[in-house]
Amino acid sequence: MEVLQRLRRFDAYPKTLEDFRVKTCGGAMVTVISSLIMLLLFFSELQYYLTKEIHPELYVDTSRGEKLKINIDTIFPHMPCAYLSIDAMDVAGEQQLDVEHNLFKKRLDLGGNIISSEVEKHELGKQDEVFNATKLDPGRCESCYGAESEDMKCCNTCADVREAYRRKGWAFKNADSIEQCMREGFTQKLQEQKNEGCQVYGFLEVNKVAGNFHFAPGKSFQQSHVHVHAVEIHDLQTFGLDNINMTHYIRHLSFGSDYPGIVNPLDGSNITAQQASMMFQYFVKIVPTIYVKLDGEMVRTNQFSVTRHEKVANGLIGDQGLPGVFVLYELSPMMVKFTEKHRSFTHFLTGVCAIIGGVFTVASLIDSLIYYSARAIQRKIELGKAS
């Protein structure tokens, strides 16, 4: 008992007798309000504790031999699919041949509605015009009109002739003089799509080096190691250079998979061409990114920043520029790594104790202030009545 008596001396929380405690309406209001505040702050702290903590790291990117996946979903409301070509080129200006792609085109009317449920798969550097040749001899070998090569000796379709011309670096000038194109109604197809738009979507998977991809009117080919888009008489000349309207709406553009919190700055961009034959350039800086989830799953992707430049392109070759939308990208030598982690329980416990103790202390001060202020006012009133 003597030990317990000595222990009582260290009690920092002395208690008063119940008879000496005074309960007031002001104290009750302070208690209710402070309890609500503590409850609100507790749930706020609990919600914060249950969220994941993202720990960022920055280091030099030493990865090699990887591929870069480019996800594209873009609408050209005034550029028909038949006139639009898509190309990917590396930093040296050479067309990338080792490119896995899965790009599709959808024809749209001027209101942005899908004309046909049929989807056309777009081949890089060429256009697919497929002709039903069931009535023709499958073993035939038709002329390429002087553009034959070792690996392409026969041109049985209009697309074959155009591809042969492209490989030779020749412009495809007159479709009406090509029997295969006349048979397939190539000119009529172009005229049908003259007042249409086009949606291009899918992905490219290119080598992880600096380069560009672009959407431009006209058939593309290499001429003296220069990338050229031909002004074909049945393509762009029929369409009219003054009618090249490169207004575009970028629904989605990303370089890799999405992860929680990623921001793709070009998503939802609606760019209107103020005049015909405009060239839009997007200069993209790609930052390789690794995102590690709580379960250990690792997502290798990329973030990017972008600046835009636009000008009027007066020609389709040379320094004057080419009407179209160009995305020129380069890769940062630094890599960012985000790691998801659970928040510390001890920090949560410390926060809860701080909330309870802080609110309780402040509430006690406010209650004391109200109580003693009310007593002082009451005494003055009583003294005034007595006098």
Side-chain angles (χ1 to χ4, degrees):
M1 293 296 293
E2 186 179 351
V3 175
L4 293 176
Q5 290 292 337
R6 291 181 179 180
L7 185 63
R8 289 179 182 177
R9 297 176 184 176
F10 298 98
D11 185 5
Y13 309 100
K15 287 78 179 175
T16 57
L17 295 176
E18 189 71 29
D19 296 339
F20 295 97
R21 293 181 181 178
V22 178
K23 294 185 177 181
T24 62
C25 292
M29 290 179 63
V30 171
T31 302
V32 172
I33 293 172
S34 61
S35 299
L36 291 174
I37 292 174
M38 278 191 286
L39 197 63
L40 180 66
L41 293 178
F42 170 77
F43 281 112
S44 175
E45 186 72 15
L46 179 63
Q47 184 181 18
Y48 177 73
Y49 168 70
L50 294 177
T51 60
K52 293 168 287 191
E53 182 180 6
I54 308 298
H55 179 65
E57 297 175 79
L58 183 67
Y59 52 92
V60 177
D61 183 12
T62 58
S63 59
R64 292 290 181 272
E66 294 183 356
K67 293 287 187 178
L68 179 65
K69 186 178 181 181
I70 306 171
N71 303 298
I72 301 168
D73 189 355
T74 306
I75 293 175
F76 296 87
H78 304 291
M79 181 56 59
C81 291
Y83 297 90
L84 192 65
S85 67
I86 306 145
D87 295 286
M89 305 174 68
D90 63 18
V91 69
E94 294 293 330
Q95 189 163 349
Q96 293 199 20
L97 300 177
D98 185 20
V99 176
E100 181 184 342
H101 61 279
N102 196 23
L103 288 175
F104 298 94
K105 290 179 178 179
K106 277 185 181 178
R107 295 168 58 190
L108 306 175
D109 60 21
L110 293 179
N113 302 310
I114 298 173
I115 293 176
S116 173
S117 59
E118 295 181 1
V119 176
E120 173 190 353
K121 183 170 182 180
H122 179 83
E123 297 294 335
L124 287 183
K126 64 179 181 180
Q127 296 165 323
D128 258 346
E129 291 94 7
V130 180
F131 173 69
N132 184 5
T134 54
K135 297 182 179 180
L136 299 175
D137 182 10
R140 70 190 186 283
C141 181
E142 298 188 52
S143 172
C144 294
Y145 298 88
E148 291 86 355
S149 60
E150 288 296 326
D151 56 345
M152 196 169 191
K153 296 181 179 180
C154 301
C155 297
N156 295 331
T157 66
C158 186
D160 291 342
V161 177
R162 299 182 75 198
E163 176 63 14
Y165 271 54
R166 187 185 71 85
R167 294 185 183 186
K168 283 287 187 179
W170 298 352
F172 188 77
K173 294 184 177 180
N174 192 351
D176 289 337
S177 63
I178 307 298
E179 182 183 348
Q180 293 91 321
C181 296
M182 292 179 63
R183 183 174 63 215
E184 297 172 13
F186 175 68
T187 304
Q188 288 76 6
K189 289 181 182 178
L190 294 180
Q191 288 296 334
E192 286 175 2
Q193 298 187 28
K194 190 171 182 180
N195 295 317
E196 295 180 3
C198 188
Q199 178 184 1
V200 182
Y201 64 96
F203 69 87
L204 297 171
E205 197 167 73
V206 299
N207 297 321
K208 197 174 179 181
V209 295
N212 78 81
F213 63 92
H214 56 267
F215 309 86
K219 183 73 172 179
S220 64
F221 59 91
Q222 295 290 121
Q223 188 176 69
S224 301
H225 303 288
V226 177
H227 186 72
V228 177
H229 281 251
V231 188
E232 300 176 5
I233 191 166
H234 283 282
D235 282 18
L236 296 183
Q237 288 181 355
T238 300
F239 187 60
L241 293 177
D242 292 337
N243 295 325
I244 298 178
N245 186 340
M246 295 309 300
T247 295
H248 55 282
Y249 171 57
I250 303 175
R251 297 179 62 182
H252 179 71
L253 178 65
S254 63
F255 296 83
S257 305
D258 289 344
Y259 64 84
I262 191 172
V263 176
N264 297 312
L266 285 178
D267 284 8
S269 299
N270 195 356
I271 310 299
T272 302
Q274 299 301 323
Q275 51 186 300
S277 299
M278 289 202 68
M279 178 182 188
F280 296 92
Q281 294 175 303
Y282 294 91
F283 298 92
V284 174
K285 189 74 171 183
I286 298 174
V287 181
T289 303
I290 295 177
Y291 192 91
V292 182
K293 298 183 179 180
L294 284 174
D295 57 4
E297 180 187 352
M298 184 180 293
V299 179
R300 290 186 174 271
T301 182
N302 301 278
Q303 303 177 83
F304 70 96
S305 62
V306 62
T307 55
R308 180 169 61 89
H309 174 71
E310 59 186 62
K311 66 177 182 179
V312 178
N314 296 320
L316 295 178
I317 187 171
D319 295 334
Q320 295 173 319
L322 172 71
V325 176
F326 293 76
V327 179
L328 302 95
Y329 56 88
E330 59 180 11
L331 292 114
S332 169
M334 306 303 293
M335 174 177 282
V336 179
K337 182 179 181 181
F338 295 110
T339 306
E340 289 183 352
K341 293 183 178 180
H342 286 295
R343 298 192 183 276
S344 172
F345 179 73
T346 55
H347 287 179
F348 167 70
L349 201 59
T350 303
V352 171
C353 293
I355 289 170
I356 296 173
V359 174
F360 184 79
T361 303
V362 172
S364 299
L365 293 173
I366 294 174
D367 177 57
S368 299
L369 179 65
I370 293 173
Y371 176 70
Y372 288 111
S373 298
R375 285 189 63 185
I377 293 171
Q378 187 176 3
R379 283 176 183 174
K380 287 184 178 181
I381 293 173
E382 290 175 353
L383 287 172
K385 287 181 178 180
S387 61

